[in-house]
Amino acid sequence: MAVDDYQEDSHVSTPINRIRWATQRVTGSSGRRKRLSIKERFHKRTASNEKKRDSTGKDSANGSNGADADVSEPSDGVEDQENPQRTVYFNIPLPEEALDEDGHPLANFGRNKIRTAKYTPLSFVPKNLWFQFHNVANIYFLFIIILSFFSIFGATNAGLNTVPLIVILLVTGVKDAVEDYRRTNLDDELNNSPVHRLIDWNNVNTTGDNVGWWRRCKKATSRGLRTLGARIGNLKQRKEKKGKGYAQRALDEPPRESMGSRATRRESTFSVYSERTSFHSTRSNGGQEAYQMTPVPSPNPANDRGLNVERPTTAFSYEGDDVAQTMANGKSMPHSANDLKPVVRDYGTLIDPNKEITGKARFKKDRWKSVEVGDFVRVYNDDQIPADIVVLSTSDPDGACYVETKNLDGETNLKVRQALHCGRSVKHARDCEKTEFIIESEPPHANLYQYSGVVRWSQRAAKHPGDPSTPRAEPISINNLLLRGCSVRNTEWVLGVVVYTGEQTKIMLNSGITPSKRSRIARELNWNVIYNFILLFVMCLVTGLVQGVIWSQGDSSLDFFEFGSIGGTPPLDGFITFWTAVILFQNLVPISLYISIEIIKTAQAFFIYSDTFMYYDRIDYPCTPKSWNISDDLGQIEYIFSDKTGTLTQNVMEFKKCTINGVPYGEAYTEAQAGMQKRQGIDVEAEGAKAREQISRDRVRMLEESRKIHDNPFLRDEDLTFVAPDFVTDLAGSSGEVQQQANEYFMLALALCHSVISERTPGDPPTIEFKAQSPDEAALVATARDCGFTFLGRSNDGLIVNSLGVQKEYQILNTLEFNSSRKRMSAIIRMPDTNKIVLFCKGADSIIYSRLRVGQQAELRKSTAEHLEMFAREGLRTLCIAQRELDEEEYQLWNKQHDIAASAIQDRDDKLEEVSDLIERDLTLLGGTAIEDRLQDGVPDTIALLGDAGIKLWVLTGDKVETAINIGFSCNLLSNDMDLILIRIEDESIETAREEIEKHLAVFNITGSDQELKAAKKNHEPPAPTHAIVIDGESLKLVLDDELRQKFLLLCKQCKSVLCCRVSPSQKAAVVRMVKAGLDVMTLSVGDGANDVAMIQEADVGVGIAGEEGRQAVMSSDYAIGQFRFLQRLVLVHGRWSYRRLGETIANFFYKNIVWTIALFWYQLYNNFDGSYLYEYTYVLLYNLAFTSLPIILQGILDQDVSDKVSLAVPQLYRRGIERKEWTQLKFWVYMIDGIYQSLICFFMPYLLFSPATAVTSNGL
């Protein structure tokens, strides 16, 4: 919104831009820490001098205050440590402070070309070798090769000595080259993708591209390779004709036909059937594919192809029978006679109507890599966004556009972005030329869900060009920003300006955010290699010492067969022999060990991906390994930490019950309710059948009664989840007018307070579906629809709602976001009949109750709280609904503060939260809702099977304690035989928490001492199923304190199950860290949402579930699965196989090398340790690489002790992994000693066999 002088005399508020809160996130401290490496890396590579900030958008420098829209001045454009803002100028000359001495811009924003590949054709060989020689084994064998070139050390074929290392380097290099070649092709395709960019105008923010000699050299090399590749391709095309690549084909195709110049009108899901302007392209001179956009009238829908077209409508272009007609005629919706029409705010425009232009500017199809900061670009439907772009205008009259963010956060549902109010008149090239404005933006940072900026311009009047200009400003938020990598959907075109390019875009700053993990065996393996180095050193030292001593003694056969020595002196001879022995015993260090392990783990990852028993056909998703190097860790998991919603449950929400004005409504038989009855000894099968039969009868009755009140065309019988015949009768007035009005008002609140997008499909009857980021929110709006209060869509100013057949438009004044810290959402609505301003608020019961008006509704509060507690015990997710009426003056004063906070560049989210807190007070309670989230298939059986395997499962959820307990019973996590230890610290005191923990520790006769912790680390036996702990988030905060953490950990160690309720994402990660570090165990975290990312990355193995909350967890995980039940096969089958195979493979690798090498050492006993070769030198060199690697690799890939069916039927087999018995240091030394023993047999058995049969006698005759 434009921030301007407020009209104090106005008695009616004016609407402001609605904000899509569903796309907001608040990142905790854990998230900020995980992005530090990204930020530091970006700080080093960016060419600009911008000050860095943390991922939440807060400035990292002390004393730098955000510039509010009403007081801050435009910055000078210099990005330095004193000014963290970035300023982009459009058709305005840069100030002197922003120019260097040559007149070029000081700020260098970087190119839009990106390169994710590690190498270039010139740098591949040296850079790849540099990376490969970070491996100590490679350095060691390079040293051996260097030694072998000196004949003094006894190597007979120095050239052959290089073969093993060359093969290893070559195989690894080819693998890296293939991977990097694929990345390079993707980079080239992306960088050369087409985009329509404004040309023939002056972008003052950039200068000509100064290409250095190194870059010229790289370009020449790349062009040469491309030419070579093209020629090879042409040769292939002679045999088989092939088409061109996507990027080249897009650049070769004819100009994109504009929406207005087509013979038939494109049916956008956004545009309303009203008179508007479209654009067609005219070819520029010279046949270049560039064009000036010219307005032409859209065709009349009634005459379009001669059809009466009905099409789906969206949340931003509702067309009802009368609404569409009034909108098409430019009229507003009729209201009551007493209606006071609001004054429409003048948002201003970026266009200077009096500015003279050249008219040469035009949009031309160009490549992504040519886009620069400050460019105007036009993006069309289904195109990807080339850079981070501020939206000026779209094809939709409301300035709305749909985007798909699947490439950023994995979410497939569409999101809405809004054009700036001041930019909606900028529709074609000449409008871009006429604009004059600057954008003050925050520096680049990695937070995908936060952006703060301000656009500033001087407003000039078209009718009075001589009048002085008025400074204007409008805030820019994440809702006005299209991020690189997103795709435009259901929108004809979007016009915007570029603020971030290339490496400074948010998608690039987030690349590689997942921390790398190494398996436990890989970490321990380094020590085993070091032990071999020590053994090698001892053997070489013994060889050198003995040889030097024997040579110095003289009077031996050496005097007759050797004519002097190489060194000349015994010490020097011993020194030379030492290095000779290093070459002789080189196989003691296995050169092919690491690459063999990599091949084995790659094959194991392929087997996991190919397992059809872990394929989820509903979403066409197999089990997908994302980290291939930790498959053996899956076989050692002792603790699993799981989210509940979407992980154990389906995250498909169904509205089941509600309480309105103290009256409960709804019937349901939930799984948690069945679990509660099971605990009480009730026959749940019979009780469930009886309840479902009653619900079925009541459903029929409710549908009949509902249609008597209002024949709702949008009600589909099969979609009804809220079964409450008494609600319908009360809605008809059977319980009095007060309850009737309360029911109507409650459902109206559900239909108004949301951020849902509606999609209407015409038909008989028509259907409306709701798209929301939160399934809870969609369920609330869908229930309001089923009860006759249908949200139809959005108009320019508000929402269209059909209330029991009466259609009205409700003006949205403000929408206050939901996030994890606020735990509530509010919508400020102007009611159409009374012109009153009402704030509707929904959120967690604890939050809403703390904001109710003091001293009122005592009985209603009590009864509603009792109902909500009853719903929670049945396993339902509860919310409270409240409202508050605002007078005009109060709202106007608050709205000023809101506008100022919304215009801040720094700390905008914090300021908006403070302002929102001011008005979300003194609420009036309306009621509460209860939604069921059913368990996934196979969850109880999977939990029971994992428990039999000795794995402990902890559930970390944000739900209420009562809900979590009942879900625990329904999924076999809790049982009737367990004593529940409920930890709730009411006074939030450390001392109280200590007393509570020590009281429960006394039950197990422990105190939480260091000795007990040391013993607990060695004890991997599962605890007896006698106790379970349930703790809430506030209490968890206390027990995670340094003083109590160890005691709490030991208490949990004694319990079969642990449930942590009402926990934040950072607390989830803290619990995982406590167990992993405190007990030195292998941990696995599984979740499906963004709030689970922290604990997924903290655990040794992170598993993401591809669910309803998007794919953030999947993108950050090591393994991705479709359902929780697949976890049993991933862990108990593939994890166990991988761990056992790798343990045997590594042990045998060291064993075979010991047998071979120590046999050479025994031979030295009979030649005075002079370094003679027992075997032919070729065998020594190729023993590891060629002769013995393949059997070991095949063992690591294919070895099975039992089948998968046996692994699942006898889960106790997994306990060897928990106890880490497949690979231990003891096993390593046992195999080493066995290898030494076998080397004795291999050498002395043949020697003793042939020594008596020698033809040489003792006297030589």
Side-chain angles (χ1 to χ4, degrees):
M1 76 235 56
V3 179
D4 202 354
D5 295 335
Y6 290 90
Q7 300 176 0
E8 298 292 348
D9 56 345
S10 174
H11 61 283
V12 180
S13 66
T14 55
I16 71 164
N17 184 32
R18 56 182 177 267
I19 301 178
R20 296 282 303 165
W21 303 114
T23 61
Q24 303 296 309
R25 299 282 194 277
V26 171
T27 307
S29 58
S30 176
R32 289 195 291 271
R33 288 195 300 271
K34 291 200 180 286
R35 291 195 176 93
L36 285 177
S37 60
I38 302 296
K39 290 156 59 63
E40 291 169 358
R41 183 180 67 193
F42 169 70
H43 183 69
K44 293 177 182 177
R45 70 186 176 205
T46 184
S48 70
N49 295 322
E50 295 162 354
K51 185 189 297 182
K52 300 308 296 174
R53 358 168 335 123
D54 64 26
S55 63
T56 58
K58 297 179 181 179
D59 197 299
S60 59
N62 295 328
S64 58
N65 298 323
D68 291 349
D70 60 331
V71 294
S72 63
E73 297 296 330
S75 66
D76 58 13
V78 183
E79 301 186 41
D80 54 21
Q81 293 298 319
E82 282 70 30
N83 184 10
Q85 299 177 7
R86 116 175 342 200
T87 304
V88 187
Y89 295 81
F90 299 88
N91 296 319
I92 298 177
L94 295 181
E96 294 183 1
E97 297 84 358
L99 300 173
D100 60 17
E101 56 188 12
D102 297 326
H104 299 308
L106 286 175
N108 181 6
F109 297 118
R111 308 173 63 204
N112 197 44
K113 182 178 180 179
I114 57 100
R115 187 165 64 88
T116 60
K118 283 184 180 180
Y119 311 104
T120 64
L122 287 178
S123 68
F124 175 77
V125 173
K127 199 171 182 179
N128 185 259
L129 288 177
W130 169 255
F131 284 130
Q132 289 204 53
F133 278 105
H134 279 66
N135 188 332
V136 178
N138 289 345
I139 296 176
Y140 165 71
F141 280 96
L142 177 63
F143 178 70
I144 296 295
I145 290 172
I146 294 173
L147 286 180
S148 66
F149 276 99
F150 298 93
S151 58
I152 191 175
F153 297 119
T156 60
N157 192 337
L160 187 62
N161 209 34
T162 63
V163 171
L165 183 61
I166 289 176
V167 171
I168 295 296
L169 296 178
L170 188 63
V171 170
T172 306
V174 168
K175 177 182 73 70
D176 293 342
V178 170
E179 292 177 354
D180 209 65
Y181 177 72
R182 292 173 179 172
R183 283 194 292 263
T184 301
N185 286 343
L186 292 175
D187 289 345
D188 289 342
E189 182 176 355
L190 204 61
N191 290 326
N192 294 310
S193 297
V195 64
H196 293 80
R197 185 172 72 99
L198 189 70
I199 63 170
D200 291 341
W201 75 290
N202 182 26
N203 184 353
V204 299
N205 303 282
T206 59
T207 57
D209 193 6
N210 299 320
V211 182
W213 69 269
W214 175 245
R215 190 169 155 201
R216 288 194 186 98
C217 185
K218 290 195 297 182
K219 281 178 172 290
T221 306
S222 300
R223 281 195 298 268
L225 290 176
R226 279 198 297 267
T227 302
L228 180 62
R231 290 180 179 178
I232 295 174
N234 290 335
L235 292 176
K236 291 182 179 180
Q237 283 179 351
R238 293 176 184 176
K239 299 179 181 179
E240 182 180 354
K241 189 174 181 181
K242 293 184 178 181
K244 297 182 179 180
Y246 165 74
Q248 186 63 38
R249 185 173 67 252
L251 289 172
D252 289 346
E253 65 184 8
R256 181 190 292 267
E257 193 176 19
S258 69
M259 303 307 137
S261 62
R262 297 183 179 179
T264 59
R265 182 181 187 275
R266 177 177 184 164
E267 294 183 14
S268 166
T269 57
F270 274 112
S271 53
V272 293
Y273 287 165
S274 59
E275 290 295 319
R276 62 175 178 83
T277 57
S278 184
F279 309 97
H280 71 85
S281 59
T282 57
R283 299 286 181 96
S284 61
N285 296 333
Q288 294 293 325
E289 200 278 297
Y291 38 88
Q292 166 78 38
M293 310 306 287
T294 308
V296 296
S298 297
N300 191 316
N303 300 326
D304 188 17
R305 299 189 298 275
L307 300 174
N308 183 15
V309 180
E310 277 191 306
R311 58 188 179 83
T313 62
T314 69
F316 291 94
S317 58
Y318 168 73
E319 300 174 30
D321 298 336
D322 52 346
V323 177
Q325 185 63 38
T326 56
M327 291 174 65
N329 295 333
K331 299 177 182 179
S332 60
M333 290 288 295
H335 298 301
S336 63
N338 297 328
D339 191 13
L340 297 175
K341 295 186 177 181
V343 178
V344 178
R345 175 179 295 178
D346 177 19
Y347 292 101
T349 177
L350 299 177
I351 297 176
D352 182 359
N354 305 314
K355 182 179 180 180
E356 296 182 0
I357 60 174
T358 62
K360 295 181 180 180
R362 63 195 188 279
F363 284 96
K364 179 182 178 181
K365 188 175 287 187
D366 207 339
R367 303 177 191 269
W368 276 25
K369 62 184 180 182
S370 301
V371 173
E372 297 175 317
V373 171
D375 276 347
F376 288 86
V377 295
R378 187 187 295 275
V379 185
Y380 290 90
N381 189 44
D382 293 332
D383 286 351
Q384 281 198 18
I385 311 298
D388 290 353
I389 296 171
V390 173
V391 183
L392 295 183
S393 61
T394 72
S395 58
D396 188 78
D398 292 340
C401 65
Y402 275 137
V403 291
E404 183 181 75
T405 60
K406 180 170 59 177
N407 291 339
L408 271 74
D409 54 16
E411 296 184 5
T412 55
N413 54 320
L414 301 184
K415 301 177 180 61
V416 181
R417 295 293 182 261
Q418 291 284 344
L420 297 175
H421 286 92
C422 59
R424 295 183 183 181
S425 57
V426 181
K427 294 181 180 288
H428 42 80
R430 61 170 174 266
D431 292 337
C432 298
E433 278 193 288
K434 285 189 174 184
T435 59
E436 286 187 358
F437 62 98
I438 64 174
I439 290 180
E440 293 180 358
S441 169
E442 61 185 1
H445 61 85
N447 192 341
L448 295 173
Y449 308 102
Q450 194 274 338
Y451 175 77
S452 298
V454 173
V455 56
R456 301 184 184 277
W457 75 99
S458 296
Q459 186 67 52
R460 293 180 173 86
K463 297 181 180 179
H464 306 285
D467 291 352
S469 60
T470 305
R472 302 291 294 274
E474 182 176 345
I476 308 172
S477 71
I478 191 65
N479 305 286
N480 310 117
L481 193 70
L482 298 183
L483 303 182
R484 177 183 177 123
C486 297
S487 299
V488 177
R489 297 284 188 249
N490 299 344
T491 309
E492 294 175 0
W493 53 264
V494 176
L495 192 150
V497 291
V498 178
V499 289
Y500 300 134
T501 53
E503 302 292 338
Q504 300 175 357
T505 56
K506 291 183 180 293
I507 189 174
M508 295 305 297
L509 293 178
N510 277 278
S511 60
I513 191 171
T514 302
S516 60
K517 297 178 181 179
R518 295 182 64 206
S519 68
R520 178 182 287 270
I521 288 183
R523 296 194 299 267
E524 295 176 353
L525 190 59
N526 290 335
W527 286 105
N528 301 124
V529 174
I530 291 174
Y531 297 151
N532 275 30
F533 270 113
I534 295 173
L535 180 59
L536 174 65
F537 175 79
V538 171
M539 292 169 60
C540 294
L541 183 62
V542 169
T543 301
L545 290 175
V546 173
Q547 197 273 341
V549 169
I550 292 177
W551 185 263
S552 65
Q553 289 176 349
D555 192 22
S556 64
S557 61
L558 288 176
D559 298 333
F560 301 100
F561 295 101
E562 297 288 346
F563 299 94
S565 65
I566 297 175
T569 62
L572 188 55
D573 282 343
F575 177 77
I576 294 172
T577 305
F578 175 87
W579 297 111
T580 302
V582 169
I583 298 175
L584 178 64
F585 303 139
Q586 60 180 283
N587 284 324
L588 196 62
V589 178
I591 185 175
S592 57
L593 172 61
Y594 291 100
I595 193 169
S596 298
I597 290 176
E598 190 171 341
I599 293 171
I600 291 170
K601 290 186 175 181
T602 300
Q604 291 171 349
F606 175 75
F607 290 155
I608 292 174
Y609 178 79
S610 304
D611 191 340
T612 56
F613 291 102
M614 293 192 292
Y615 173 75
Y616 189 35
D617 55 355
R618 182 171 172 266
I619 59 174
D620 188 26
Y621 202 85
C623 178
T624 307
K626 295 179 175 294
S627 298
W628 292 12
N629 61 334
I630 60 172
S631 57
D632 49 296
D633 280 352
L634 284 171
Q636 307 171 66
I637 301 300
E638 185 171 353
Y639 283 84
I640 292 180
F641 301 90
S642 174
D643 179 38
K644 184 186 78 69
T645 304
T647 304
L648 301 179
T649 61
Q650 300 177 16
N651 203 21
V652 177
M653 306 300 177
E654 295 182 352
F655 190 109
K656 292 297 185 181
K657 297 186 178 185
C658 66
T659 172
I660 305 174
N661 196 31
V663 179
Y665 297 106
E667 300 177 17
Y669 188 75
T670 65
E671 290 169 326
Q673 189 174 355
M676 183 170 56
Q677 292 179 346
K678 183 179 180 181
R679 181 173 41 162
Q680 298 170 352
I682 300 175
D683 185 359
V684 294
E685 295 292 336
E687 190 69 22
K690 180 180 178 182
R692 283 187 284 271
E693 183 180 356
Q694 180 64 38
I695 291 172
S696 179
R697 289 196 299 267
D698 289 340
R699 173 193 290 271
V700 175
R701 177 184 161 204
M702 178 178 177
L703 291 170
E704 293 176 352
E705 296 292 333
S706 179
R707 288 196 166 93
K708 290 179 182 178
I709 300 175
H710 165 55
D711 189 9
N712 186 357
F714 303 106
L715 172 60
R716 291 184 293 183
D717 295 0
E718 65 274 12
D719 292 342
L720 182 66
T721 62
F722 177 51
V723 179
D726 50 343
F727 171 83
V728 178
T729 56
D730 286 352
L731 193 62
S734 62
S735 297
E737 186 177 354
V738 173
Q739 189 62 33
Q740 179 186 11
Q741 292 177 354
N743 287 5
E744 292 179 356
Y745 204 65
F746 182 85
M747 287 298 168
L748 181 62
L750 297 184
L752 294 176
C753 185
H754 59 80
S755 56
V756 168
I757 301 170
S758 68
E759 291 185 357
R760 183 184 180 196
T761 304
D764 188 20
T767 59
I768 285 188
E769 294 184 354
F770 302 113
K771 304 294 183 182
Q773 278 195 267
S774 168
D776 301 69
E777 197 168 40
L780 295 176
V781 180
T783 297
R785 173 202 62 195
D786 296 341
C787 293
F789 296 81
T790 307
F791 163 60
L792 299 174
R794 297 179 186 266
S795 65
N796 288 343
D797 294 330
L799 306 177
I800 309 295
V801 176
N802 186 309
S803 302
L804 299 177
V806 180
Q807 194 169 277
K808 296 180 181 180
E809 178 180 354
Y810 295 83
Q811 185 180 8
I812 303 177
L813 302 180
N814 302 83
T815 304
L816 309 181
E817 69 173 7
F818 174 90
N819 59 43
S820 57
S821 61
R822 283 169 41 79
K823 296 183 180 179
R824 64 187 182 279
M825 172 196 174
S826 298
I828 302 178
I829 307 291
R830 183 179 294 280
M831 308 303 286
D833 297 328
T834 62
N835 210 35
K836 291 182 179 180
I837 300 174
V838 179
L839 179 144
F840 293 101
C841 184
K842 66 181 180 184
D845 51 2
S846 59
I847 300 296
I848 299 299
Y849 264 67
S850 66
R851 296 180 173 275
L852 296 177
R853 187 182 295 274
V854 179
Q856 296 187 7
Q857 298 181 295
E859 287 297 323
L860 179 59
R861 289 193 199 188
K862 181 180 178 182
S863 59
T864 302
E866 291 174 352
H867 296 155
L868 292 177
E869 185 177 353
M870 177 181 65
F871 298 158
R873 284 198 302 268
E874 296 174 3
L876 302 176
R877 299 159 58 92
T878 59
L879 281 178
C880 273
I881 313 295
Q883 63 98 24
R884 177 189 176 188
E885 289 190 9
L886 307 173
D887 59 60
E888 193 69 38
E889 183 179 0
E890 179 187 11
Y891 172 75
Q892 287 285 4
L893 292 174
W894 176 86
N895 196 36
K896 291 180 182 180
Q897 296 176 301
H898 184 273
D899 284 352
I900 293 172
S903 303
I905 295 180
Q906 273 99 27
D907 302 330
R908 178 183 294 176
D909 290 344
D910 294 339
K911 294 177 181 179
L912 281 172
E913 188 166 336
E914 291 176 5
V915 172
S916 300
D917 180 70
L918 296 176
I919 202 167
E920 292 172 323
R921 299 181 178 180
D922 296 332
L923 302 177
T924 300
L925 182 63
L926 298 179
T929 63
I931 296 175
E932 182 185 17
D933 187 10
R934 301 181 64 84
L935 285 176
Q936 294 180 12
D937 295 336
V939 166
D941 295 338
T942 300
I943 291 176
L945 198 63
L946 293 173
D948 292 340
I951 297 175
K952 298 85 175 175
L953 179 66
W954 292 21
V955 174
L956 313 177
T957 178
D959 283 341
K960 285 183 171 183
V961 171
E962 294 81 5
T963 304
I965 290 175
N966 289 321
I967 290 294
F969 276 100
S970 63
C971 66
N972 286 343
L973 193 63
L974 304 176
S975 68
N976 291 328
D977 298 329
M978 290 184 183
D979 293 333
L980 290 186
I981 300 176
L982 184 60
I983 301 178
R984 273 182 174 170
I985 314 300
E986 301 293 344
D987 60 358
E988 299 184 4
S989 168
I990 291 287
E991 288 302 320
T992 306
R994 185 195 307 276
E995 294 173 1
E996 184 76 10
I997 296 296
E998 290 177 349
K999 179 184 71 175
H1000 295 300
L1001 284 173
V1003 176
F1004 301 98
N1005 296 319
I1006 57 177
T1007 60
S1009 63
D1010 293 341
Q1011 292 78 11
E1012 291 169 343
L1013 179 62
K1014 189 175 181 180
K1017 289 182 179 181
K1018 298 179 180 179
N1019 180 18
H1020 299 284
E1021 288 296 321
T1026 57
H1027 291 81
I1029 287 181
V1030 181
I1031 185 171
D1032 62 1
E1034 293 300 321
S1035 303
L1036 184 64
K1037 189 187 304 181
L1038 297 174
V1039 299
L1040 287 179
D1041 186 85
D1042 292 340
E1043 299 179 17
L1044 300 180
R1045 186 186 300 122
Q1046 180 172 312
K1047 294 179 180 292
F1048 177 66
L1049 176 60
L1050 288 172
L1051 176 61
C1052 294
K1053 171 76 174 172
Q1054 305 299 319
C1055 298
K1056 179 71 174 178
S1057 303
V1058 177
L1059 280 77
C1060 301
C1061 311
R1062 295 292 195 188
V1063 291
S1064 65
S1066 59
Q1067 285 180 316
K1068 291 182 178 181
V1071 171
V1072 176
R1073 193 181 310 116
M1074 174 189 71
V1075 175
K1076 182 175 72 170
L1079 296 177
D1080 188 27
V1081 293
M1082 299 298 292
T1083 58
L1084 181 148
S1085 292
V1086 55
D1088 72 318
N1091 60 333
D1092 303 317
V1093 170
M1095 75 170 182
I1096 284 175
Q1097 294 183 346
E1098 186 64 46
D1100 294 292
V1101 179
V1103 177
I1105 291 183
E1108 302 291 333
E1109 290 189 9
R1111 302 290 170 90
Q1112 300 98 321
V1114 165
M1115 295 171 70
S1116 302
S1117 65
D1118 303 305
Y1119 294 89
I1121 56 178
Q1123 291 274 277
F1124 181 83
R1125 67 178 183 271
F1126 299 145
L1127 197 62
Q1128 60 177 311
R1129 189 170 180 85
L1130 177 64
V1131 173
L1132 301 183
V1133 177
H1134 291 282
R1136 180 180 169 278
W1137 278 349
S1138 298
Y1139 174 54
R1140 185 181 178 279
R1141 287 167 176 169
L1142 208 61
E1144 289 297 320
T1145 296
I1146 295 173
N1148 282 287
F1149 224 108
F1150 286 111
Y1151 165 79
K1152 70 179 181 63
N1153 284 12
I1154 285 290
V1155 172
W1156 172 270
T1157 306
I1158 300 297
L1160 290 174
F1161 184 78
W1162 303 137
Y1163 178 60
Q1164 302 306 308
L1165 296 173
Y1166 296 93
N1167 56 24
N1168 296 329
F1169 288 89
D1170 64 354
S1172 300
Y1173 288 88
L1174 173 63
Y1175 314 122
E1176 206 280 324
Y1177 190 58
T1178 304
Y1179 297 143
V1180 174
L1181 294 178
L1182 300 182
Y1183 173 79
N1184 251 331
L1185 185 67
F1187 300 138
T1188 60
S1189 289
L1190 190 59
I1192 299 297
I1193 291 175
L1194 290 178
Q1195 180 192 26
I1197 294 175
L1198 302 175
D1199 184 38
Q1200 272 187 26
D1201 58 340
V1202 295
S1203 67
D1204 55 341
K1205 294 181 180 178
V1206 175
S1207 296
L1208 294 174
V1210 190
Q1212 291 80 5
L1213 292 172
Y1214 187 82
R1215 295 191 181 182
R1216 284 186 58 83
I1218 294 177
E1219 297 170 2
R1220 303 173 201 163
K1221 290 184 177 180
E1222 297 295 349
W1223 175 250
T1224 62
Q1225 293 303 308
L1226 177 61
K1227 182 175 183 177
F1228 167 76
W1229 289 112
V1230 167
Y1231 271 71
M1232 293 283 284
I1233 295 172
D1234 186 36
I1236 294 174
Y1237 166 73
Q1238 295 295 340
S1239 69
L1240 286 168
I1241 300 300
C1242 290
F1243 177 79
F1244 285 103
M1245 286 297 290
Y1247 175 77
L1248 295 175
L1249 177 64
F1250 286 99
S1251 60
T1254 178
V1256 180
T1257 62
S1258 58
N1259 59 8
L1261 297 177

